[in-house]
Amino acid sequence: TGTRPHARSKLRERLSNPNVMSAASILGSRAALSGASVAASTANARRRSFAAARSKAPRAAISPPSEGSETSPSAGEKQRAKVSMVSLGCPKNTVDGEVMLGDLFANGFDVTDEHEDADAIIVNTCGFVEDAKNESVDAILAAASMKAEQEQDGKKKKVIVTGCLAQRYAEELADEMPEVDVVMGFENYKDLPNTLGEQLGVETGAAADGAKRGRVRVGTASPPFRPEALRKRLTPQHYAYLRVAEGCDHKCTFCAIPGFRGKFRSKPWDPIIEEAKALADTGARELCLIAEDTNQWGMDLKASDGRGLAELLEALAVIDGVEWIRILYAYPSYFSDPLIDAIADIPQVAKYIDIPLQHITNLSLLRMNRPPRQHTEDLLYKLRDRIPGLALRTTFISGFPGETEEEHEDLMRFCREFKFERLGAFAYSEEDGTPAATYPDQVEQAVRDLRRDQLIAQQQQISEDFAASRVGREVDVIIDGYNPEFDAWTGRTSLEAPDIDPIVFVADPTGGQRALEMGQMRRCKIVGTSLFDLEANLVD
């Protein structure tokens, strides 16, 4: 049978909040991470075209299998089952997906980009904000529909749901979507090869570990770390996300993440170094450090280890092949003097910090249960003073409960004066189980959207000015790929993170004699801008 029409509406009703963040709203704020304006239609159109062009090409996402693994099975050899994945959400979810695919490949499954050819589709969901939930539900329903169509033709196909939506709403997903074969949470990822083997009736190389055998297999939100070095990469080979910690102990009133990602825990030193070496050995020149609070790494290990993020950066910097180390998801605390010095002094550490602030006025920060304004301002100016050439990236929430017009104007004024190099804004979205969702002074959705758009529009000129200030400089650019539609290679400097920041269009003024390839690090001179993007010529 096909996917039941009422599954979509009933599940969405369960997951939805009173004020739904529309797709247009979230796309606008995602664009703002690069300093875009909702009015910048030309740049947005170019980005959409570029994304479409990339989507038509074979994905550089999944690492090439080991030598000989693509050959057809010989006589008497069993055909390997095929699995595909739709991975949604943040880089932490990407790492989960890569590790799952690595486990599956190591235990007798082939990984394919073609969902139609797969014996099982894994939908690795996001459950962070309203639009992410809806996107995840759409992906599950699309997989279920494909399953139903192929079952009518006699082909067996399984749908496995993983990720934050599965961890957070497992029972609801299972009840409303009987087409889903297994809903799996973080603790049971280690048993995914066995689970798929059972579902498909194939033998695997994985040892059974007594995991729960029902449709819903979730468990704790704070499982122990497991090896993450052997992955099937979902990023291009030249950059990778390196998870250094998991979970969060903060009590931000708007955020549900601690409830489904668990308590903060640092990954031990040795596994991090091992994973970094493995990623570098497979071509990763750029390591993006990720966690819920990346700069908190090591604080829970001080008694037993004594090392913090400063020492970790030093160790990562000497790994052969690592050229850039980037800090994402920092919290506006935990920046010790040794850590600031490490960021400033270690050449491989990008002079770039992603530090979501959420707001700047004391009343809003108090309602959010975030550090106060003076603490935040002191930190921001200290970082700029101590780290030459620093690019700061942040995000703010517009229309948080109780935010007045005066508070919004105060935030706008602060951003005009401080001039963040990268800034994004999101309209507040109520999250199940959070204190802020129950606050009585909710801001109307239209006002939330308007304030977000005003903040984004203001940032566009700041971002354009920052781009213009870089014209004439020589910089290293990592080449991310080729865009055939615009006949241009694109890349990033160390001041742009993958996927979320502006890009560099790279040209060869000699007429193309110096070949460019994805993953190269090339010396370029910035010769112009296109809004907040850069245009550069090769100089090497």
Side-chain angles (χ1 to χ4, degrees), residues 179-344:
E179 302 89 345
V180 172
D181 296 283
V182 175
V183 180
M184 180 172 283
F186 310 137
E187 187 177 24
N188 286 282
Y189 286 176
K190 62 184 181 301
D191 198 49
L192 182 58
N194 273 328
T195 297
L196 273 183
E198 294 169 1
Q199 292 290 320
L200 296 171
V202 299
E203 294 182 4
T204 72
D209 61 2
K212 185 179 178 182
R213 300 300 179 196
R215 280 182 69 223
V216 176
R217 309 182 187 187
V218 177
T220 179
S222 301
F225 289 106
R226 61 196 189 99
E228 295 183 341
L230 301 178
R231 311 185 196 171
K232 300 290 285 182
R233 297 266 295 284
L234 293 169
T235 64
Q237 292 300 102
H238 58 277
Y239 72 84
Y241 296 107
L242 178 61
R243 176 166 29 211
V244 299
E246 187 58 275
C248 181
D249 291 338
H250 295 293
K251 305 296 182 184
C252 301
T253 60
F254 55 83
C255 185
I257 288 176
F260 57 86
R261 277 289 182 179
K263 295 181 178 181
F264 179 85
R265 53 215 184 270
S266 297
K267 184 183 291 185
W269 178 281
D270 289 343
I272 294 176
I273 301 302
E274 177 188 351
E275 290 159 24
K277 290 178 178 178
L279 292 169
D281 287 345
T282 56
R285 310 177 79 154
E286 176 182 5
L287 298 179
C288 298
L289 307 190
I290 59 170
E292 301 301 339
D293 297 314
T294 303
N295 54 327
Q296 193 180 350
W297 182 84
M299 292 194 172
D300 54 332
L301 303 177
K302 280 289 186 182
S304 59
D305 188 291
R307 291 172 288 192
L309 187 57
E311 290 84 0
L312 182 61
L313 292 174
E314 292 172 356
L316 294 173
V318 299
I319 293 174
D320 287 343
V322 173
E323 298 186 50
W324 288 351
I325 303 167
R326 187 179 305 280
I327 297 174
L328 300 177
Y329 303 109
Y331 189 80
S333 294
Y334 316 121
F335 279 96
S336 64
D337 286 337
L339 176 55
I340 295 173
D341 289 340
I343 297 170

Side-chain angles (χ1 to χ4, degrees), residues 35 54 161 163 175 177 247 259 268 375 420 446 453 516 536:
R54 286 194 300 182
V161 178
D175 290 345
M177 294 184 173
H375 167 92
F420 290 94
D453 293 348
L516 284 164

